[in-house]
Amino acid sequence: MTVDGRLARGDRTRSAALDAAVVLATEVGLDGLSLARLAGILGVSKSGLFAHWRSKEALQLATVDRAVEQWQERIVEPGLRAPAGVRRLWALHQARIDFYAARVLPGGCFFASTDFEYNARPGPVRDRLAEVFGRWTAFLERLVRETVDAGELPAGTDVPLLAYEIDALGIAAAMRSRLMDPDAAYRHARQSLLDRLRALCPDPTLLPEGLS
Amino acid sequence: MTVDGRLARGDRTRSAALDAAVVLATEVGLDGLSLARLAGILGVSKSGLFAHWRSKEALQLATVDRAVEQWQERIVEPGLRAPAGVRRLWALHQARIDFYAARVLPGGCFFASTDFEYNARPGPVRDRLAEVFGRWTAFLERLVRETVDAGELPAGTDVPLLAYEIDALGIAAAMRSRLMDPDAAYRHARQSLLDRLRALCPDPTLLPEGLS
DNA sequence: GAAAACTATACGACCGGTCGTGCTTATTTA
DNA sequence: TAAATAAGCACGACCGGTCGTATAGTTTTC
């Protein structure tokens, strides 16, 4: 975190500041993120933050990138450890819900919150978010397509549509888990995709039997 | 609206102010909603707004209520005009997507934006949003249950789960329609529910043939 | 003319951002 | 090796601006 009360040189402490920024931004929004408050949390002066990121916007962009890294570590990589195909799709969805359930971020999901926040605000931050979101959906579609090509899903499957459905279930889980019963939200998000995949997948042994 | 002329004039201003507040809040968030900016848009003084709602929080709550009225008019009522059952579920979903597609609100969906915004902020505004959201999901579940009871969906249907899926498709459509290709988002949201309902509904004549 | 609706003005708090200063550290110099 | 110097970093103080809010005064309406 800080060294001798200073923000300190080196990428390590810098990324610690970004970790805190991700948490704070998920809570109060990327725009509501106050440099003064972030500095207070880190035990560092506001000017110190300005020394590293010359503007608030630069800090916001860096925060988005850090959130992408976390998403990569906690969701994409665990998903990719599963064998390709429906099991990988399922593992990815599972990892995403597990990440929400772990309550690493107080507001649920960094990207869901900020994407909605910047829906109608043109600018560099929105562009970055849109790019990240585009990469995410492209990734999802690629996984679905690979699954179809591997014969684990019917050949006529509408790939973008299924990718859309998978993402929609995740988004809804992030929202409902904070506003209503979290366990029900996670259970529904899981069960819904499981039903969908089981209905499509010709090989029933590739997916778990059922959920409690 | 009262019979009294003086109050009538006040109510008009009041209602127009809330309409503008809904638009503005969808754009910049319920928290980012500034009294000064709202006053500027309406061509009135900031103190005038403050005279009507004695605090910003009161204005925020009134804005939420106004957004609920709009939702009722534009989505719930059109949905209820369809005959009960799967056709009503479909009409409701359709009306929701049409509302998004009409771009009445610049940021997509008032409730999706604000719900995420207040995910991690306890207080009266969050409580109101949670209550509204609870009523909405209860309404959805009631429609689904009625459909099951009417025999248009299988008796064993998981009612909360299907309601969750319907709402998830709408939420995702609201988000994607701003960050990515809107038409694709709407098409996916429609097609997905159509597929789902057709797979469940034993009577194929109750739903449209297909979508372009 | 009284009451209601509206406005002008001001206040303190906080915002993002800048600036000059002192401290820490690394490099140079003798 | 020790002193001197140069450079980089973090700090407190401060700037103009905007926020929500309060109060006093003005216009409108009956």
Side-chain angles (χ1 to χ4, degrees):
Chain A
M1 189 68 65
T2 57
V3 178
D4 298 337
R6 290 162 174 261
L7 217 188
R9 48 186 92 242
D11 292 340
R12 209 203 248 133
T13 46
R14 190 190 171 96
S15 99
L18 286 180
D19 282 336
V22 170
V23 172
L24 201 55
T26 309
E27 191 178 334
V28 297
L30 209 40
D31 194 67
L33 196 163
S34 149
L35 293 180
R37 190 170 161 192
L38 180 60
I41 290 175
L42 291 168
V44 160
S45 79
K46 193 174 56 164
S47 344
L49 293 179
F50 269 94
H52 285 79
W53 302 274
R54 290 189 294 173
S55 70
K56 179 178 181 178
E57 195 175 86
L59 174 62
Q60 289 173 323
L61 293 174
T63 303
V64 172
D65 292 342
R66 184 76 192 94
V68 170
E69 289 176 25
Q70 287 184 9
W71 188 270
Q72 201 77 14
E73 287 173 24
R74 307 280 307 235
I75 294 167
V76 173
E77 287 174 10
L80 290 178
R81 277 197 283 273
V86 288
R87 282 168 297 183
R88 179 168 289 175
L89 287 176
W90 175 249
L92 191 78
H93 189 59
Q94 186 87 273
R96 181 174 183 179
I97 295 171
D98 286 345
F99 180 66
Y100 294 156
R103 305 206 157 239
V104 185
L105 303 178
C109 176
F110 176 88
F111 291 104
S113 301
T114 52
D115 282 356
F116 273 107
E117 187 184 4
Y118 279 84
N119 249 346
R121 298 196 215 178
V125 177
R126 198 203 112 114
D127 292 345
R128 181 75 57 99
L129 287 170
E131 180 214 325
V132 169
F133 190 48
R135 284 211 310 268
W136 167 247
T137 57
F139 171 72
L140 272 182
E141 290 183 9
R142 185 164 62 80
L143 289 194
V144 173
R145 184 164 293 115
E146 284 172 1
T147 308
V148 173
D149 292 344
E152 291 189 16
L153 285 175
T157 303
D158 188 332
V159 172
L161 185 64
L162 183 54
Y164 172 92
E165 290 169 349
I166 294 174
D167 194 39
L169 293 175
I171 295 173
M175 183 160 109
R176 292 177 107 102
S177 67
R178 308 295 148 155
L179 241 46
M180 303 185 70
D181 179 22
D183 292 331
Y186 302 141
R187 184 158 24 89
H188 289 154
R190 284 197 188 94
Q191 190 65 54
S192 182
L193 184 60
L194 196 57
D195 289 351
R196 192 100 181 94
L197 290 179
R198 266 207 291 246
L200 291 172
C201 181
D203 182 356
T205 66
L206 292 176
L207 286 165
E209 279 299 316
L211 298 172
S212 62
Chain B
M1 184 89 69
T2 341
V3 205
D4 192 288
R6 290 169 296 176
L7 283 180
R9 179 177 156 213
D11 277 356
R12 249 201 322 276
T13 319
R14 205 183 167 92
S15 160
L18 287 180
D19 282 336
V22 170
V23 172
L24 201 56
T26 309
E27 192 178 335
V28 297
L30 209 39
D31 196 64
L33 197 162
S34 145
L35 291 180
R37 190 171 161 192
L38 182 60
I41 290 175
L42 292 167
V44 296
S45 73
K46 194 170 59 162
S47 345
L49 291 180
F50 212 84
H52 282 291
W53 303 275
R54 295 170 46 122
S55 72
K56 180 178 180 177
E57 194 174 87
L59 173 63
Q60 289 174 322
L61 294 174
T63 303
V64 171
D65 292 342
R66 183 79 192 91
V68 170
E69 289 176 25
Q70 287 183 10
W71 188 270
Q72 201 79 14
E73 287 173 27
R74 307 280 308 235
I75 295 167
V76 173
E77 287 175 10
L80 289 179
R81 278 198 282 274
V86 286
R87 282 169 296 184
R88 179 169 288 175
L89 287 176
W90 174 249
L92 190 79
H93 190 59
Q94 185 85 274
R96 182 176 183 179
I97 295 170
D98 287 345
F99 181 67
Y100 294 156
R103 304 203 159 239
V104 186
L105 303 179
C109 177
F110 176 90
F111 292 105
S113 303
T114 52
D115 282 356
F116 273 107
E117 187 184 3
Y118 279 85
N119 250 347
R121 299 194 214 176
V125 177
R126 197 202 113 112
D127 291 345
R128 181 73 58 98
L129 288 170
E131 179 214 325
V132 168
F133 190 48
R135 283 211 309 269
W136 165 248
T137 58
F139 171 72
L140 272 183
E141 291 182 8
R142 187 163 60 80
L143 289 195
V144 174
R145 184 164 292 113
E146 284 172 1
T147 307
V148 173
D149 292 345
E152 293 188 14
L153 285 176
T157 302
D158 188 333
V159 172
L161 185 64
L162 184 53
Y164 172 92
E165 291 169 348
I166 294 175
D167 194 40
L169 293 175
I171 296 173
M175 183 159 108
R176 291 176 107 102
S177 66
R178 309 294 148 155
L179 243 46
M180 304 186 68
D181 179 21
D183 292 330
Y186 303 141
R187 185 160 22 91
H188 288 155
R190 284 197 187 94
Q191 190 65 53
S192 182
L193 184 59
L194 197 57
D195 288 352
R196 192 99 181 93
L197 290 179
R198 267 207 289 246
L200 291 172
C201 181
D203 181 357
T205 66
L206 292 177
L207 286 166
E209 279 301 315
L211 298 172
S212 60

